Amino acid sequence: MATNTFPDAFLWGTATSSHQIEGNNVNNDWWEWEQEPGNIKNGDRSGAACDGWNRYAADYDLLRDLNQNAYRFSIEWSRVEPKEGQFDKAALDRYLDMLRQLRKRGIEPFVTLHHFTNPRWLAPRKYWVDDETPAAFERYAKAVVDHFGDEGPRFWMTFNEPMVLITMGYVLGQWLPKHRNFGEAGRVFLNLLEAHRRAYKVIKARHPQAQIGLANNMSPFQAYPGLDAGAAGAGGQGGAGRGSWLNRFAASLVNGTFNWPFLEALRTGRARIPVFGVNHYAPELKGTQDWVGLNYYTRGVIRFNPLHPVTSLVPQPPAPGVEQTSMGNEVYPAGIHQCLTELWAKFKPLPIYVTENGVSVPDDKRREAYILSHLAQVKRAIDEGIDIRGYFYWTSTDNFEWSEGYHQRFGIIEVDFATQARTVRPSGWVYGEIAKHNRLPG
Ligand code: GCO
């Protein structure tokens, strides 16, 4: 019988990334990019961020107060290796201390090796376009693994949202390096996969028990307008997504391009993205994933415009009357259930962790509702037999939201950036109670 209780040992956490919280990551590509006017909304810069580099222990105290038993954070490559081949022992020590401080509080660390930012010394090599970059990443991963020694985390992610990195940088050209070049996108795809494989081997060689995955962003993509308009209010962005054949074709193209290629390559060894002209068989990629990480925020409704073939593959804004977030996304809880179901169908028996799910909204009541409605869908998937072992809300403290700057507020902990004061929001206490009792209210 279905109850509100989650499986034993379910992990309740929040997720963060180095550049978004630490502050003063002066040696990475984003830092430089932020200095150029026009790249970040309102001229914001990451600056001191939430000063996570210095305040982590106090922040972990808050997470303990919220009954968290897991926490996802990333290691900043440009801190560990600020100059090519020169590793900063003090930085590595601090990351090791983060692991210790978390464990002391009964919080299981999930560590990401790469969350969007790159050391600036990779610029002359065009970052991930260069075929030498995977070897550089392997050397960095090895430095981290060696430094942590026996204290290394059990759970690792090599990359965060590799397809978002490619899309923003090389397809839409909105982030560094601001290129629109499918040939480069294809190279980056293959190099990220190769870097993943190398890091996987390095970690496993030292820690055979380690559990390694990556955080894969997914949205169900559906065709505009969709027939069952009633399901989601005005505008016809209903659930089934049975728009014109052209929109259906475009939606399936977007789905095949953005949701699956990384995960499929790690399962089958086939690295394939037809629109980038990539179809490569690398059997050594096979099996280099121990669990599946899902980042879920919203769905995407696709309306193809032959006059603007690339940009029309970007999802439509939500229809009027549909609840939307400050990021302009539709609130669509059923989508997380759909993603979990599709992931399980393809990758079972690998367990799934929801490595990110969250919302930026002006009214914290709506954050609470978002958390509850999405967790109810996660629970439904568990009840249907899907092996889901943890959920990470994005994010703990408000932080630097990339090109959106500081006005987006995702945190269950409010940050006053003038004073660095933290205040747990009511939604945070609600999430803390869920974690404490391992069950949804009601
Ligand atoms: C991403 C990242 C996070 C974001 C979060 C909110 O998805 O882009 O993993 O760094 O801050 O998703 O947009």
Side-chain angles (χ1 to χ4, degrees):
M1 201 192 75
T3 69
N4 285 345
T5 302
F6 278 69
D8 286 347
F10 194 81
L11 293 178
W12 297 101
T14 54
T16 60
S17 88
S18 52
H19 190 68
Q20 294 178 271
I21 63 169
E22 287 177 355
N24 297 311
N25 275 317
V26 297
N27 291 315
N28 73 30
D29 51 352
W30 270 83
W31 183 272
E32 190 177 22
W33 167 252
E34 288 156 28
Q35 312 309 316
E36 232 177 83
N39 289 335
I40 313 292
K41 220 172 245 176
N42 306 322
D44 286 355
R45 295 171 186 183
S46 59
C50 348
D51 193 24
W53 189 244
N54 298 307
R55 293 171 195 259
Y56 58 94
D59 285 342
Y60 299 168
D61 282 343
L62 287 176
L63 298 179
R64 185 197 45 207
D65 294 347
L66 294 172
N67 310 298
Q68 304 288 288
N69 58 3
Y71 175 67
R72 176 179 170 219
F73 70 102
S74 78
I75 296 182
E76 176 64 36
W77 184 359
S78 66
R79 274 193 195 274
V80 169
E81 191 179 359
K83 295 213 175 86
E84 182 164 15
Q86 289 182 21
F87 291 91
D88 182 338
K89 189 174 167 305
L92 284 162
D93 275 338
R94 185 150 318 185
Y95 286 117
L96 180 57
D97 190 53
M98 291 180 193
L99 295 176
R100 289 179 181 152
Q101 296 295 333
L102 287 166
R103 286 180 170 136
K104 221 159 79 183
R105 293 164 177 78
I107 299 174
E108 178 83 49
F110 274 58
V111 169
T112 316
L113 285 171
H114 186 279
H115 197 124
F116 293 159
T117 51
N118 296 296
R120 241 152 61 193
W121 51 261
L122 281 170
R125 304 176 173 187
K126 297 176 81 183
Y127 296 98
W128 289 96
V129 176
D130 191 299
D131 295 345
E132 298 300 313
T133 302
F137 187 74
E138 177 182 10
R139 193 181 49 198
Y140 150 65
K142 184 155 188 327
V144 172
V145 167
D146 287 347
H147 192 84
F148 288 169
D150 291 341
E151 293 180 81
R154 180 168 162 75
F155 294 95
W156 300 78
M157 279 141 286
T158 53
F159 288 93
N160 178 69
E161 302 188 353
M163 197 46 84
V164 172
L165 188 81
I166 295 174
T167 308
M168 297 306 279
Y170 300 90
V171 178
L172 298 174
Q174 292 173 2
W175 287 0
L176 279 170
K178 273 208 173 176
H179 292 181
R180 276 196 187 181
N181 183 324
F182 284 10
E184 288 186 352
R187 286 271 23 116
V188 173
F189 171 55
L190 293 175
N191 284 332
L192 291 172
L193 282 169
E194 172 61 8
H196 167 89
R197 184 190 72 80
R198 287 169 178 251
Y200 183 94
K201 297 277 181 238
V202 162
I203 299 166
K204 281 283 181 179
R206 181 68 176 74
H207 300 289
Q209 305 307 322
Q211 296 294 298
I212 307 163
L214 52 78
N216 193 58
N217 186 63
M218 277 183 80
S219 292
F221 289 106
Q222 297 161 2
Y224 181 90
L227 289 184
D228 56 344
Q237 295 193 5
R242 293 159 64 195
S244 73
W245 71 267
L246 199 58
N247 292 340
R248 287 205 303 276
F249 172 75
S252 83
L253 183 83
V254 174
N255 178 44
T257 304
F258 296 100
N259 284 335
W260 301 105
F262 275 90
L263 300 178
E264 283 294 0
L266 304 184
R267 183 173 68 97
T268 63
R270 169 105 9 234
R272 191 170 175 273
I273 305 185
V275 293
F276 298 165
V278 178
N279 189 359
H280 178 72
Y281 184 55
E284 62 284 4
L285 289 173
K286 248 191 248 182
T288 57
Q289 171 159 266
D290 305 315
W291 53 275
V292 176
L294 167 66
N295 288 5
Y296 174 81
Y297 289 88
T298 188
R299 70 167 159 171
V301 174
I302 303 296
R303 183 181 201 178
F304 189 70
N305 177 349
L307 296 177
H308 303 283
V310 175
T311 45
S312 69
L313 300 179
V314 175
Q316 294 291 302
V322 170
E323 184 188 357
Q324 55 173 299
T325 73
S326 306
M327 295 281 283
N329 292 328
E330 177 184 354
V331 175
Y332 186 67
I336 195 169
H337 177 267
Q338 185 177 332
C339 292
L340 291 164
T341 306
E342 291 179 9
L343 286 170
W344 184 244
K346 281 191 202 261
F347 303 108
K348 71 183 164 219
L350 296 187
I352 304 174
Y353 293 83
V354 178
T355 37
E356 283 180 32
N357 172 236
V359 73
S360 168
V361 273
D363 169 3
D364 186 57
K365 265 279 167 215
R366 288 178 54 201
R367 185 183 340 275
E368 178 182 328
Y370 184 100
I371 293 173
L372 292 172
S373 60
H374 286 73
L375 280 176
Q377 295 290 333
V378 173
K379 183 60 171 54
R380 185 178 142 215
I382 292 172
D383 290 342
E384 288 164 0
I386 303 181
D387 186 4
I388 304 162
R389 300 196 182 167
Y391 173 90
F392 293 81
Y393 177 78
W394 182 276
T395 182
S396 31
T397 47
D398 289 333
N399 61 41
F400 178 70
E401 179 56 24
W402 306 111
S403 49
E404 290 288 314
Y406 281 107
H407 74 285
Q408 298 290 350
R409 300 274 181 156
F410 279 88
I412 51 172
I413 302 170
E414 183 184 345
V415 175
D416 176 340
F417 288 103
T419 62
Q420 293 292 354
R422 271 74 163 147
T423 313
V424 177
R425 294 195 164 103
S427 59
W429 295 116
V430 170
Y431 186 50
E433 282 302 293
I434 294 170
K436 178 172 179 188
H437 301 290
N438 199 33
R439 70 193 300 277
L440 292 174

